[in-house]
Amino acid sequence: MSKNLVVILGDQLSQNISSMDNFDIKNDTVLMMEVANEIEYVNHHKKKLVLIFSAMRHFANELREKKINVIYVEFDKSKKTFTEELENQCKKNKPDLIKITHPGEFRVLNEIKNWKDKLKIPVTILEDTRFFCEIKEFENWALSKNNLLMESFYQLMRKKFKILVDSEGKPLGGKWNYDVKNRKSLPKNHPKIPLPIKHEPDDITKNVISLVQKNFSNHYGSLDSFWFATSRKDALKSLDDFISNRLKYFGPYEDSMSSEEKFLYHSTLSVYLNIGLLEPREVISRVLEQKDIPIESLEGFVRQIIGWREYVRGIYWHLMPKYSESNFFDAKNNLPDFFWTSDTDMNCMKNCLQQTNDEAYAHHIQRLMVIGNFSLIAGLDPKKVCEWYLSVYADAFEWVELPNTHGMILFADGGILGSKPYAASGNYINKMSDYCKNCKYDVKEKNGKNACPFNYLYWNFFLKNESKIKDNPRLWTVFSNIKKMSKDKKQLIQSDSEKFLSKTIPK
Ligand SMILES: Cc1cc2nc3c(=O)[nH]c(=O)nc-3n(C[C@H](O)[C@H](O)[C@H](O)COP(=O)(O)OP(=O)(O)OC[C@H]3O[C@@H](n4cnc5c(N)ncnc54)[C@H](O)[C@@H]3O)c2cc1C
Ligand code: SF4
């Protein structure tokens, strides 16, 4: 009987993971490892470290309860890489075969591909079947298309899995996409929105919090009031809570922002989906079972999971490693210090950054239209921005972070993922949030020392990059306004931007 060593990574915490298929309880062993390199390769938020380690430890206990033999390697500075630790374990256990589910990062895949030669043991890498779309299937779709925009991929997934379609394969409600109904700002006297449930840390989580406090106090972010679920049982409670308390209004207020409401009607489920405590299929089927949910909420939510989430993963594996190397606008600026300290007079940025520091969470529009928009129009270096996003959010894994950051917000891929750069002036932020009313800057002012920096940086971005994007049909209005702009106005925009950037961007 062959003896398999099944390696389970920190974002594969699902009992249905493909590497556990045909697990032989008498002969096989699961190996889970907390190694230094995975903690230190970027400045991960402390809450992200607690989430992953605690969830791994809970998962190992769940496996043990099922009489599965688990070797769990707890953190110790001397345990550097997966490969080194695996080598130690193979010497002791002498497996015939190593099994692992396809990892979520290119860097880790490369490491795994070297195991066979290094360890002289065969290695099987299995498809990650938690996703709706296999890597190869996405690749075939991508190779058959001239452009890779999300909408046609999303419709394909809806038809294939018969989600929100009628018996003839037509979309329920008559439209594939209700995006136009997802853009309401939160009214002034909107009732308080129920917060996501907070899970009290148990003894396992408390131990991990102490470990992180002791060993990684220099990492980014606050450890106060840790509330994430770290077990499947609690993650399921979070799913119920979202469905009962926030799903109904998810759609209409999806794009809004509020200094009073950190989470609005968002699910906060990405953290659990991305590490395996919840599976996308079960989340979708639970949501579709609900009665009386308006179509703009139902479709809006489904689009995020079977559309965007699957699509960015497909893009990542289809285009890596070259994808991360492009820099369409040749943007080279360093990150301002306030990305780490939240200390800025721009109230929108301060709010979103402080929330990121406190919660290891910001919702999509904060990531996209505030921090992301600023990163784009301030010309920040894509590699540095990607590293920041990968560090600071508890749900950040490269397969999902990179396409969103490199492609969606920075347009560093030159337009593979988005049809135009998501640049916006202060007007957009003012329309969709209450941030501007408490800001030192005046959102109505276009130039001068009181003017909202988003206003002049927005025009400066288009002036600077005119030759690269002026023929984009979706930017026709922008460039026809630029044509009408006086030379003096252009100079004012450029000098305000230079002054702001020279004060803000470290050399
Ligand atoms: C610059 C930038 C970086 C991002 N980095 C990450 C990241 O590292 N990890 C991550 O999971 N998401 C990332 N996103 C996508 C999105 O912002 C988060 O998934 C979402 O904010 C998570 O909060 P939620 O669970 O409350 O989402 P909800 O608003 O409740 O959405 C439901 C679910 O849909 C999925 N989803 C929604 N939008 C996207 C998207 N654009 N791409 C992929 N999945 C999506 C998530 O699984 C999410 O849980 C990023 C977006 C931007 C603009
Ligand atoms: S005025 Fe400008 S900087 Fe201030 S909150 Fe509004 S958009 Fe942000």
Side-chain angles (χ1 to χ4, degrees):
M1 206 55 167
S2 88
K3 200 169 132 185
N4 300 325
L5 186 62
V6 176
V7 179
I8 296 190
L9 303 174
D11 57 353
Q12 300 181 339
L13 309 178
S14 158
Q15 297 212 14
N16 299 323
I17 197 81
S18 55
S19 53
M20 291 292 284
D21 285 352
N22 307 316
F23 189 87
D24 178 349
I25 213 144
K26 286 204 194 102
N27 289 297
D28 297 348
T29 301
V30 166
L31 171 63
M32 298 176 71
M33 302 171 271
E34 296 173 1
V35 291
N37 191 44
E38 293 307 303
I39 302 165
E40 285 158 5
Y41 79 100
V42 293
N43 181 9
H44 294 295
H45 196 297
K46 293 189 201 81
K47 282 197 168 111
K48 181 181 183 186
L49 295 177
V50 173
L51 168 79
I52 297 175
F53 282 3
S54 175
M56 285 173 72
R57 292 176 184 203
H58 280 92
F59 184 72
N61 285 348
E62 283 165 26
L63 295 181
R64 287 186 188 116
E65 277 164 22
K66 292 189 142 187
K67 310 275 180 259
I68 290 173
N69 187 26
V70 181
I71 302 171
Y72 192 97
V73 180
E74 288 197 2
F75 171 76
D76 158 352
K77 281 190 187 108
S78 67
K79 307 209 158 92
K80 291 279 183 233
T81 66
F82 288 137
T83 308
E84 281 171 23
E85 194 43 38
L86 183 60
E87 212 170 355
N88 289 337
Q89 296 300 334
C90 286
K91 277 182 199 146
K92 289 187 212 155
N93 287 282
K94 305 200 176 355
D96 301 308
L97 174 72
I98 295 168
K99 285 171 75 180
I100 185 161
T101 293
H102 196 288
E105 299 204 353
F106 198 81
R107 176 185 63 83
V108 180
L109 181 64
N110 278 345
E111 188 175 340
I112 295 170
K113 282 184 174 166
N114 288 326
W115 286 353
K116 186 169 166 241
D117 288 345
K118 180 115 191 140
L119 307 168
K120 312 276 179 266
I121 301 174
V123 177
T124 302
I125 304 175
L126 295 128
E127 181 76 32
D128 191 342
T129 50
R130 291 174 297 172
F131 289 92
F132 283 83
C133 184
E134 291 191 357
I135 292 172
K136 192 78 205 145
E137 184 185 0
F138 186 91
E139 194 160 290
N140 290 340
W141 172 80
L143 293 172
S144 72
K145 293 279 163 193
N146 291 331
N147 74 52
L148 302 185
L149 297 181
M150 199 284 286
E151 190 61 30
S152 79
F153 170 77
Y154 168 53
Q155 291 182 17
L156 184 77
M157 291 290 105
R158 288 261 301 270
K159 286 180 204 153
K160 178 170 175 194
F161 292 98
K162 301 192 172 38
I163 294 174
L164 296 179
V165 292
D166 64 19
S167 53
E168 290 167 27
K170 304 234 168 68
L172 285 190
K175 284 194 200 156
W176 288 106
N177 185 318
Y178 287 84
D179 199 22
V180 285
K181 289 191 161 188
N182 297 157
R183 295 177 191 159
K184 274 192 176 173
S185 59
L186 205 67
K188 250 193 200 136
N189 298 321
H190 193 78
K192 201 84 194 123
I193 301 170
L195 288 170
I197 48 172
K198 314 242 162 199
H199 301 275
E200 273 302 310
D202 62 5
D203 287 346
I204 296 179
T205 304
K206 282 183 191 157
N207 275 336
V208 176
I209 291 176
S210 305
L211 177 127
V212 169
Q213 253 156 356
K214 188 165 158 233
N215 294 283
F216 307 107
S217 58
N218 59 336
H219 274 235
Y220 172 76
S222 161
L223 248 186
D224 295 345
S225 316
F226 182 89
W227 58 268
F228 290 129
T230 53
S231 65
R232 171 151 171 85
K233 188 170 84 279
D234 283 347
L236 283 168
K237 285 188 195 155
S238 290
L239 172 59
D240 287 343
D241 164 63
F242 167 63
I243 289 175
S244 313
N245 295 320
R246 295 188 305 285
L247 172 62
K248 189 164 181 186
Y249 297 106
F250 174 85
Y253 300 111
E254 206 182 329
D255 281 6
S256 62
M257 296 177 278
S258 161
S259 52
E260 304 292 318
E261 298 280 359
K262 290 181 183 175
F263 305 98
L264 291 139
Y265 290 98
H266 293 276
S267 68
T268 70
L269 296 180
S270 55
V271 276
Y272 313 129
L273 284 163
N274 292 357
I275 62 174
L277 298 188
L278 294 177
E279 296 208 17
R281 280 186 189 78
E282 73 185 333
V283 171
I284 289 293
S285 63
R286 284 290 314 283
V287 162
L288 292 175
E289 275 165 18
Q290 305 309 309
K291 304 271 176 279
D292 302 327
I293 304 293
I295 186 74
E296 62 269 30
S297 289
L298 216 49
E299 187 283 320
F301 188 77
V302 162
R303 185 178 352 119
Q304 306 313 316
I305 306 263
I306 68 158
W308 282 110
R309 189 171 187 272
E310 295 287 326
Y311 167 79
V312 296
R313 186 212 184 217
I315 289 281
Y316 178 81
W317 287 109
H318 181 50
L319 299 175
M320 278 297 278
K322 264 191 165 171
Y323 191 65
S324 64
E325 297 303 320
S326 52
N327 187 352
F328 182 71
F329 293 124
D330 203 20
K332 294 206 171 103
N333 285 337
N334 285 322
L335 260 54
D337 292 342
F338 59 71
F339 270 60
W340 301 108
T341 62
S342 320
D343 186 11
T344 163
D345 288 331
M346 290 180 285
N347 194 40
C348 54
M349 287 292 281
K350 191 183 185 68
N351 230 279
C352 299
L353 291 166
Q354 190 62 53
Q355 178 179 327
T356 301
N357 177 79
D358 294 348
E359 307 288 354
Y361 175 89
H363 62 73
H364 187 65
I365 295 301
Q366 294 175 309
R367 295 188 209 194
L368 179 71
M369 296 311 292
V370 178
I371 306 173
N373 180 22
F374 179 86
S375 305
L376 171 72
I377 62 182
L380 305 189
D381 180 335
K383 280 220 185 279
K384 293 184 174 137
V385 181
C386 286
E387 187 175 319
W388 184 83
Y389 273 93
L390 188 59
S391 308
V392 302
Y393 293 111
D395 60 16
F397 296 88
E398 203 183 59
W399 65 266
V400 52
E401 172 277 322
L402 187 86
N404 272 298
T405 309
H406 192 84
M408 195 184 305
I409 66 166
L410 297 175
F411 206 76
D413 61 7
I416 296 173
L417 199 137
S419 54
K420 67 167 187 152
Y422 270 101
S425 67
N427 191 30
Y428 175 88
I429 295 171
N430 193 29
K431 199 172 95 197
M432 297 310 294
S433 78
D434 61 354
Y435 295 141
C436 300
K437 69 175 198 249
N438 290 320
C439 186
K440 180 191 145 182
Y441 297 107
D442 185 344
V443 72
K444 301 269 183 264
E445 292 277 334
K446 309 288 180 229
N447 287 102
K449 83 176 180 355
N450 290 330
C452 164
F454 280 84
N455 289 344
Y456 47 77
L457 289 175
Y458 169 82
W459 288 111
N460 187 56
F461 165 76
F462 285 110
L463 287 169
K464 199 166 161 228
N465 294 301
E466 188 166 0
S467 64
K468 290 187 172 153
I469 43 177
K470 69 177 183 324
D471 296 328
N472 183 324
R474 296 200 62 202
L475 297 173
W476 187 86
T477 324
V478 171
F479 286 106
S480 62
N481 281 331
I482 284 185
K483 255 192 206 147
K484 287 182 235 150
M485 225 178 241
S486 69
K487 209 170 152 201
D488 285 354
K489 175 74 181 168
K490 286 183 187 168
Q491 266 172 2
L492 212 51
I493 288 168
Q494 280 158 344
S495 79
D496 278 344
S497 301
E498 271 162 32
K499 263 187 238 154
F500 176 86
L501 293 173
S502 68
K503 262 196 326 207
T504 315
I505 304 294
K507 289 281 165 260

